[in-house]
């Protein structure tokens, strides 16, 4: 009949892990007035610098380049932030694993990074051997990455950053 036999293997543990790491975690964070951002982040001059954007835009690569230049590691892939009522944004450190494209890692150099293994998508899991942030810290800069030829940066005061984040992240309260 021209159709191949298909077999679907249900991996309950993987399905549960994906749900817990995704929608369930986001719901709990929102209930606690915390906001997860798709970002990689480092600490520079005592403040968090975060790179936000869609997948494969270079967030982890930029973070690794900053680490090679002496920055401290905060998180990769998800940065959880808290917007305080009086202004100010705090960022929370995440797991100490960075997923890095192997070609980018070779260009930047692996100095100070312990290789943990490779993932199915060609990325290499590495861990900063030193310089890891362990406490919530003020966010000093957010860089939104995107595809295109235009490069633009705008410095804003912390209170302006807070207002923009709140507008960007407006969401219904979860009860």
């Amino acid at each position: 009949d021209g159709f191949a036999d298909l077999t679907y293997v249900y991996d309950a543990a993987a399905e549960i892990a994906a749900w817990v790491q995704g929608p369930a975690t986001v719901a709990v964070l929102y209930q606690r007035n915390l906001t997860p951002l798709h970002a990689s982040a480092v600490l520079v001059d005592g403040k968090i610098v975060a790179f936000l954007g869609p997948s494969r835009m270079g967030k982890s690569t930029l973070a690794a380049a900053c680490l090679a230049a002496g920055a401290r590691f905060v998180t990769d892939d998800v940065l959880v932030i808290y917007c305080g009522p009086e202004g100010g944004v705090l960022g929370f450190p995440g797991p100490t694993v960075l997923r890095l494209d192997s070609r980018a890692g070779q260009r930047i150099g692996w100095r100070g990074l312990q290789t943990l293994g490779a993932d199915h998508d060609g990325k290499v899991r590495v861990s900063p051997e030193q310089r890891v942030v362990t406490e919530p810290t003020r966010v000093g800069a957010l860089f939104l990455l995107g595809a295109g030829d235009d490069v633009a940066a705008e410095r804003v005061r912390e209170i302006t950053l807070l207002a923009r984040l709140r507008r960007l992240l407006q969401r219904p309260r979860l009860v």
Side-chain angles (χ1 to χ4, degrees):
D1 62 6
F3 290 99
D5 290 331
L6 297 177
T7 303
Y8 177 74
V9 178
Y10 178 73
D11 183 350
E15 294 287 331
I16 291 170
W19 186 80
V20 167
Q21 293 171 358
T25 300
V26 170
V28 170
L29 290 170
Y30 281 158
Q31 287 176 334
R32 287 169 171 72
N33 205 25
L34 299 170
T35 303
L37 301 175
H38 189 204
S40 293
V42 294
L43 190 74
V44 177
D45 294 333
K47 292 191 178 176
I48 290 176
V49 174
F51 307 105
L52 293 79
S55 295
R56 311 223 41 103
M57 283 292 121
K59 298 176 299 296
S60 300
T61 301
L62 283 169
C66 290
L67 290 173
R72 293 177 59 201
F73 182 77
V74 176
T75 191
D76 184 44
D77 203 40
V78 177
L79 173 65
V80 176
I81 62 167
Y82 170 75
C83 298
E86 302 298 319
V89 178
L90 285 180
F92 294 83
T96 57
V97 175
L98 181 70
R99 293 183 69 242
L100 191 60
D101 181 274
S102 61
R103 291 167 297 173
Q106 290 168 355
R107 283 193 300 270
I108 295 167
W110 300 104
R111 185 183 67 239
L113 298 174
Q114 176 187 5
T115 303
L116 303 175
D119 287 341
H120 67 281
D121 60 359
K123 291 196 174 188
V124 177
R125 285 178 283 114
V126 296
S127 179
E129 295 174 349
Q130 312 261 328
R131 305 182 323 268
V132 176
V133 174
T134 58
E135 299 291 326
T137 307
R138 280 196 178 275
V139 174
L142 298 174
F143 292 93
L144 180 59
L145 308 178
D149 296 329
D150 296 333
V151 176
E154 175 186 0
R155 180 177 281 290
V156 296
R157 292 187 6 241
E158 198 168 76
I159 194 71
T160 305
L161 172 63
L162 176 63
R164 286 186 182 179
L165 277 174
R166 284 194 173 140
R167 277 197 311 271
L168 183 66
L169 301 169
Q170 283 181 352
R171 64 194 187 285
R173 296 282 295 177
L174 299 174
V175 183

